[in-house]
Amino acid sequence: MLKQRIITALLLLPLAIVFLFYPSLQNFSFILVAVFALLAWEWSGLLETNSAIVKYGFVAGALAIVGFFCYQLFDMGFYESPNHIFLQKAGIGLLDFYPFKALMVGALLWVLAFVLVLMFPKGTKLWTRGAALRMLFGWVMLASAWLAVVMIRSSQYETDANYGGFLLLLMFLIIWGADVGAYFAGKTFGKHKLSPVVSPNKTWEGFFGGLILSLMVAYGLATYIGMPLPLKFFVPFVLILGIVSVIGDLFVSMLKRQAKVKDTSNILPGHGGILDRLDSTLSVAPFFVILLLLLKGGF
């Protein structure tokens, strides 16, 4: 299984790098819509329903919300000149700026998701009476993550079209570092279970090992591209995002356990579905933008 996971990851890595850097910002956004359509379809398998109408309705709803965001950004002139939006809005308070309100809603929902993980299996009746609440979670989490990823990719786009790609790569290194570090540290030192009911294989030793590796690889890339934050802010920035990545993983694991599915699909050999690989991205992306704005005041 590990060998298959490594082979799949090595085959996908060049494609991911091309996607992060090659397309224009507008094309990147459109391609990302297709990726999130697949994520929405996989999420529909966690709704515990056999109704095709509900599943297709969920996917259609997710695409409608993402499409609305895409249209709003287009209407604001974002794709022609993304950076001028940040400059024009700098004096009125970031939370008054339309896109970031949506990111704040997404971040708050992830805080609620963390509470649900802590309560599991108690409290499941709150969100398993039909598919409505899980649909709402999915719509908000998918749409806010899409918006956040596009925002990150737009960073300094007018002066350096590749900088946003490097920031996205930094985000993914934080996530991958937390995941890979947790796997190997857990295998080597793991004794104390992190969340035995939700994910029995995760340990506290793996959790801290993941944070250490996440900080190391993030520091390496940040040194290469130029620190996006002063070091006194960069360290807590990475550690917070590493913790948030674990929350995203645990929340989707909880949904899968409740729905009695091992993987959200079999599209990626050795990895399961795209949602299985990008669950942490959904949680980290909004916080990545919000923390950068709070700690740095902009991109």
Side-chain angles (χ1 to χ4, degrees):
M1 178 65 76
L2 179 60
K3 181 180 179 181
Q4 192 176 42
R5 288 170 66 100
I6 293 174
I7 292 173
T8 301
L10 290 176
L11 291 174
L12 289 176
L13 185 59
L15 182 62
I17 295 298
V18 170
F19 175 58
L20 290 182
F21 292 98
Y22 180 73
S24 67
L25 179 60
Q26 183 169 320
N27 290 338
F28 174 87
S29 301
F30 293 160
I31 296 171
L32 198 63
V33 171
V35 174
F36 273 71
L38 291 174
L39 286 172
W41 175 247
E42 291 184 349
W43 192 290
S44 72
L46 304 178
L47 300 178
E48 293 187 86
T49 178
N50 294 321
S51 172
I53 295 177
V54 173
K55 289 185 176 182
Y56 284 116
F58 172 77
V59 176
L63 287 176
I65 299 170
V66 170
F68 172 76
F69 284 148
C70 196
Y71 170 77
Q72 287 291 321
L73 292 176
F74 184 83
D75 190 54
M76 294 164 64
F78 174 80
Y79 294 117
E80 295 179 1
S81 182
N83 292 346
H84 84 278
I85 294 175
F86 301 110
L87 295 175
Q88 287 181 356
K89 302 293 181 177
I92 66 172
L94 292 166
L95 297 184
D96 293 325
F97 181 25
Y98 154 73
F100 303 111
K101 291 181 179 180
L103 297 185
M104 289 299 295
V105 172
L108 290 173
L109 201 61
W110 277 109
V111 174
L112 177 56
F114 180 51
V115 173
L116 293 177
V117 169
L118 292 177
M119 292 173 60
F120 188 80
K122 297 179 180 179
T124 53
K125 291 182 179 179
L126 295 174
W127 50 273
T128 55
R129 294 178 179 175
L133 192 56
R134 277 167 291 173
M135 292 175 72
L136 178 61
F137 269 77
W139 284 331
V140 174
M141 289 173 172
L142 289 171
S144 62
W146 179 89
L147 182 59
V149 171
V150 173
M151 291 288 108
I152 297 168
R153 183 64 185 89
S154 75
S155 179
Q156 299 186 24
Y157 189 76
E158 294 175 33
T159 55
D160 183 357
N162 290 324
Y163 184 76
F166 279 114
L167 273 190
L168 281 176
L169 185 58
L170 175 65
M171 181 185 75
F172 284 120
L173 283 181
I174 293 171
I175 294 169
W176 296 337
D179 187 35
V180 173
Y183 177 82
F184 286 104
K187 285 285 186 182
T188 307
F189 307 108
K191 292 182 179 180
H192 303 89
K193 299 296 183 182
L194 175 65
S195 183
V197 179
V198 175
S199 187
N201 293 327
K202 285 183 168 53
T203 64
W204 281 105
E205 291 82 0
F207 170 74
F208 288 112
L211 290 184
I212 292 171
L213 182 59
S214 184
L215 186 58
M216 291 172 61
V217 295
Y219 180 79
L221 179 61
T223 301
Y224 173 74
I225 66 174
M227 282 285 177
L229 292 167
L231 191 59
K232 65 178 181 179
F233 293 145
F234 183 75
V235 172
F237 171 75
V238 173
L239 293 179
I240 291 171
L241 293 180
I243 294 170
V244 171
S245 75
V246 176
I247 294 172
D249 189 356
L250 287 174
F251 180 67
V252 174
S253 294
M254 181 185 72
L255 295 181
K256 290 192 294 184
R257 183 166 292 276
Q258 180 65 31
K260 297 180 175 58
V261 297
K262 183 178 184 296
D263 298 314
T264 54
S265 77
N266 297 311
I267 195 171
L268 301 175
H271 291 267
I274 297 177
L275 181 57
D276 295 312
R277 291 300 89 210
L278 296 182
D279 48 9
S280 294
T281 304
L282 297 183
S283 60
V284 169
F287 283 94
F288 190 99
V289 176
I290 291 169
L291 287 174
L292 264 186
L293 291 171
L294 291 177
L295 295 174
K296 189 179 181 180
F299 281 169

